[in-house]
Amino acid sequence: MLIEGKFTMKAPIQQVWDFLLEPGTLASCVPGAEKMEAIDDKTYEGVVKQKVGPISVRLKFTQTLTEIDPPKHVKAIGRGADVTKAGIFSQETTVDLTEISKDEVEVAYRSNVSMVGRLATFGERIMRAKVNKVGEEFTRNLQERLRSRIGG
Amino acid sequence: MIRDFEYFAPKTLKEALTLLDKYQDECKVIAGGQSLLILMRQGLVTAQYLIDIKGLSELSYIKSDAREGLRIGALTTHRAIEKSPVIQKKFSVLAEMERRLASIQTRNWGTIGGNICHADPAGDPAPVLMALNATLSMASLKGKRNMAVEDFCLDYFETALEPGELLTEIRVPATPPHTGTAYTKFNVIESDLATVGVALSITLGSSDGVCRDVRIALGAAAPTPMRAKQAEAVLRGKKVTNNLLKEAGEMASTEAEPLSDIYASEEYRRELVKVLVNRVGKEALARAKQA
Amino acid sequence: MKKELRLTVNGQPYELYIKPKTLLVEALRDHLGLTGTKRGCNCSSCGACTVILNGMAVKSCSILALQADGGEILSIEGLAKGTELHPLQKAFLDHGAFQCGFCTPGMLMSATALLDENPKPNKEQMKEGIDGNICRCTGYNSIIRAITAVVKGEYKEEK
């Protein structure tokens, strides 16, 4: 499942970049994220809880920042499994910053989420819709956090 | 691979509501189990406490009154609705819908209330009940309340049922004169869930062929069964022609919010909405003219 | 915590003591040793597990055994009377209405339920009657021919 989009921030590109790279920024925008623990400055471990209808999912995941090309491009790879082993999720997210002017940045994000396991086969219909929504919520959270931290 | 659970089989509604009130979020309710057990068998849904309400015979009934309309107990099986003489005669669209729902074995044990509470947007009953302007009754220890079907379905597989609450009854108002209702669904394999489903009810002015009222409900085209209100506005108050029905179909196609999945793409679902609204509209119109 | 379950299966009363999560198909196969009823798909789609419960064809893999408490079940083992096969069984044999045989118990139970409800179905009604049973081998036509033969009275039961 592909989730992508873009939005603009009224802030210098370096500021936006610094915030994005701050430990846990991306991880903390994940809806339903509970515990977040930094393993090192590029890796995060956490727990995500989500519910859709009768299905509750508790995911333990690890997220690693891989490509880091300041201040323009960052890629994070995450893998997680539901605690009951009902499903395994993997996610690849890239965020690209483009300077529009000294005080304006375009933030373009692209997230590829895939899911295998019983959740994917039997729960596909139920989970697919949820993954979409989670993706939308993630980007809203990201915008909100950026705006409240940096403003504009 | 169902996990162990504690099992209760209350004999009365009061008993059931007391148990639900006690266990709130920790329990799951099972009626026919034709949707729930699939998920439980795969370990996708676990319950610590399972409240089995299948035995509440007081919630299994079909009552019809010329003025008040139809009252169906939530635990009435799909098969009973399909075979009910009064429903076949006066609300035939319900019997037709049930006939295409899953298979005979599923219909023999599954209940209409269970189906509605499972809130699968591709489910068959909800769009038809919405087209029929049906309301739902719920009960808890705190009391009773009613709401329209479209207000009951909140999101994918989420309903307005509160913890401690049970769906008890479905009410379908008496059919106004010169009203026709029809339903169809598109699926690749007969007895599959709808790839897209459309239910349409149209009420004409006595002899002028002008649409006095219309309800268009889409299944599997949005997070919940959805009223295509903009499409309805195309028809309401106008003389219904083939071109107008075509326009309504196009409007419904743009207002739907379908997902892409392994069965169909979003574009194909929109196309299905467009075609089926038109097709079902013609059928409903023909029935309205005969009514 | 186990619960008591009383079932009458093929005319025989049974008393079982089972965990609530036991499915009806498990009660029949694992607890009563009636392995004629099959578990085909584990996703409630194939109908190989079909039995007749209180006069209705149901998928026994999709029913908790406890929900059948006090009920009467007819399974494939109950179709024949001793060594005398049920007319549908005879017809299935004569018309090659099975190959691997895995769907056959469920198919026969659905056909039995169909004819119990409607002794003279037309072809469309026959197809509808077995709609919930998947067969990978026969292509269904031989099954319909077998049912048709019974409906036509070619296997009149001696009562």
Side-chain angles (χ1 to χ4, degrees):
Chain A
M1 265 155 276
L2 195 58
I3 302 149
E4 54 187 350
K6 25 173 111 116
F7 58 93
T8 44
M9 294 279 324
K10 285 198 171 41
I13 189 170
Q14 190 62 44
Q15 242 194 330
V16 178
W17 172 262
D18 288 336
F19 177 64
L20 263 180
L21 262 292
E22 229 167 77
T25 297
L26 282 177
S28 68
C29 293
V30 175
E34 286 185 336
K35 300 184 272 182
M36 275 310 142
E37 218 183 284
I39 305 300
D40 59 45
D41 63 355
K42 290 209 184 85
T43 315
Y44 247 80
E45 265 182 22
V47 173
V48 169
K49 250 177 106 171
Q50 276 294 342
K51 186 174 182 295
V52 56
I55 300 186
S56 294
V57 166
R58 223 166 148 252
L59 280 186
K60 280 176 114 165
F61 75 95
T62 311
Q63 178 144 297
T64 313
L65 298 180
T66 56
E67 295 160 17
I68 303 176
D69 180 21
K72 291 180 296 188
H73 173 86
V74 62
K75 180 161 162 177
I77 297 191
R79 248 184 102 79
D82 173 67
V83 292
T84 67
K85 300 283 181 279
I88 298 174
F89 296 73
S90 57
Q91 163 261 120
E92 219 177 82
T93 306
T94 53
V95 182
D96 287 286
L97 304 181
T98 315
E99 195 171 33
I100 300 176
S101 74
K102 198 161 53 83
D103 288 299
E104 222 177 322
V105 177
E106 182 195 78
V107 183
Y109 56 88
R110 197 186 145 93
S111 201
N112 208 343
V113 184
S114 72
M115 178 174 65
V116 295
R118 279 175 284 119
L119 269 174
T121 35
F122 294 95
E124 206 262 347
R125 305 199 51 251
I126 301 180
M127 294 307 293
R128 172 173 286 267
K130 191 61 176 184
V131 172
N132 261 6
K133 286 188 77 178
V134 164
E136 282 164 25
E137 215 182 312
F138 172 83
T139 51
R140 272 203 307 277
N141 288 349
L142 184 61
Q143 286 188 60
E144 256 171 55
R145 290 213 63 195
L146 278 172
R147 295 216 154 97
S148 70
R149 257 303 281 271
I150 301 177
Chain B
M1 55 171 310
I2 305 181
R3 303 248 213 93
D4 279 314
F5 49 78
E6 240 191 279
Y7 174 85
F8 301 96
K11 302 264 184 313
T12 66
L13 177 59
K14 180 90 186 286
E15 241 183 274
L17 293 178
T18 308
L19 282 164
L20 279 163
D21 186 67
K22 178 176 177 194
Y23 292 109
Q24 296 276 320
D25 269 331
E26 285 176 68
C27 69
K28 292 257 185 309
V29 172
I30 191 169
Q34 300 301 287
S35 298
L36 188 65
L37 274 177
I38 301 181
L39 299 173
M40 286 181 79
R41 263 199 324 245
Q42 294 300 326
L44 298 179
V45 169
T46 50
Q48 209 187 339
Y49 306 99
L50 194 70
I51 319 282
D52 184 352
I53 59 169
K54 179 78 170 145
L56 296 183
S57 49
E58 67 189 272
L59 289 184
S60 176
Y61 54 82
I62 298 172
K63 295 181 187 156
S64 168
D65 178 274
R67 244 183 341 116
E68 307 253 319
L70 193 62
R71 289 169 59 191
I72 306 177
L75 290 175
T76 310
T77 62
H78 296 290
R79 190 70 164 162
I81 296 172
E82 184 194 340
K83 293 286 175 189
S84 154
V86 70
I87 289 182
Q88 284 179 356
K89 185 152 175 263
K90 294 201 187 160
F91 298 89
S92 61
V93 67
L94 277 173
E96 287 155 15
M97 173 273 295
E98 293 289 12
R99 211 170 144 206
R100 292 195 64 185
L101 190 148
S103 58
I104 293 178
Q105 293 98 315
T106 307
R107 300 202 290 278
N108 271 332
W109 204 253
T111 65
I112 191 166
N115 182 296
I116 295 170
C117 292
H118 186 62
D120 189 330
D124 302 287
V128 176
L129 290 172
M130 279 164 69
L132 292 171
N133 207 15
T135 51
L136 303 173
S137 299
M138 289 143 275
S140 69
L141 285 185
K142 300 199 201 90
K144 302 186 190 167
R145 56 185 186 130
N146 301 324
M147 61 172 69
V149 175
E150 54 229 58
D151 298 327
F152 184 73
C153 305
L154 298 178
D155 203 346
Y156 292 99
F157 302 91
E158 308 256 0
T159 67
L161 269 184
E162 310 258 307
E165 229 178 3
L166 273 183
L167 178 69
T168 53
E169 188 177 80
I170 298 140
R171 292 187 194 173
V172 182
T175 314
H178 309 292
T179 300
T181 312
Y183 172 71
T184 199
K185 66 179 172 181
F186 177 84
N187 50 18
V188 174
I189 300 174
E190 203 55 50
S191 78
D192 249 358
L193 278 169
T195 307
V196 163
V198 174
L200 199 149
S201 177
I202 196 163
T203 305
L204 299 174
S206 56
S207 55
D208 50 10
V210 168
C211 166
R212 278 184 56 218
D213 197 10
V214 62
R215 270 181 302 280
I216 305 178
L218 309 177
T224 62
M226 168 193 147
R227 284 274 299 278
K229 293 197 172 159
Q230 291 171 39
E232 290 172 10
V234 169
L235 297 170
R236 199 173 273 117
K238 314 232 186 53
K239 186 153 163 75
V240 185
T241 61
N242 279 341
N243 270 337
L244 208 62
L245 281 173
K246 200 160 156 243
E247 221 183 289
E250 280 157 10
M251 182 62 83
S253 172
T254 52
E255 71 180 298
E257 308 157 25
L259 275 186
S260 293
D261 61 22
I262 56 172
Y263 302 101
S265 67
E266 181 201 321
E267 293 84 0
Y268 189 53
R269 284 203 158 93
R270 286 194 192 277
E271 181 67 19
L272 282 172
V273 169
K274 186 178 87 177
V275 169
L276 293 180
V277 165
N278 189 0
R279 202 180 282 176
V280 176
K282 289 201 174 97
E283 175 64 34
L285 183 66
R287 292 183 184 191
K289 286 182 175 161
Q290 284 173 359
Chain C
M1 188 170 179
K2 291 192 180 179
K3 298 251 177 197
E4 251 174 56
L5 171 66
R6 285 190 188 77
L7 289 177
T8 305
V9 186
N10 304 327
Q12 278 262 68
Y14 293 96
E15 233 178 75
L16 294 174
Y17 205 48
I18 53 155
K19 286 188 177 183
K21 69 173 179 174
T22 311
L23 300 168
L24 182 58
V25 67
E26 290 166 345
L28 291 171
R29 289 180 53 89
D30 308 330
H31 294 259
L32 295 180
L34 296 170
T35 55
T37 306
K38 306 300 179 196
R39 265 188 115 150
C41 65
N42 212 38
C43 62
S44 304
S45 308
C46 75
C49 64
T50 304
V51 297
I52 299 181
L53 169 63
N54 300 338
M56 301 178 288
V58 295
K59 292 183 193 165
S60 60
C61 75
S62 308
I63 295 186
L64 289 176
L66 285 174
Q67 286 197 331
D69 190 32
E72 278 190 36
I73 294 171
L74 183 67
S75 73
I76 186 68
E77 290 90 349
L79 273 196
K81 291 193 173 69
T83 53
E84 181 69 24
L85 291 178
H86 188 280
L88 279 169
Q89 288 173 309
K90 291 184 193 168
F92 267 49
L93 276 167
D94 288 345
H95 291 264
F98 64 93
Q99 291 177 30
C100 80
F102 201 79
C103 77
T104 311
M107 195 66 79
L108 278 166
M109 298 323 293
S110 283
T112 304
L114 165 72
L115 296 185
D116 281 348
E117 196 188 280
N118 178 4
K120 298 244 176 259
N122 60 30
K123 197 166 175 198
E124 278 313 304
Q125 289 167 329
M126 286 183 209
K127 287 187 194 175
E128 215 182 294
I130 62 166
D131 185 24
N133 293 72
I134 300 182
C135 173
R136 193 65 184 85
C137 301
T138 64
Y140 305 99
N141 286 318
S142 52
I143 296 172
I144 298 292
R145 281 197 288 271
I147 300 175
T148 308
V150 174
V151 168
K152 281 197 186 150
E154 291 172 28
Y155 296 90
K156 279 209 169 49
E157 255 184 74
E158 271 103 68
K159 287 276 160 100

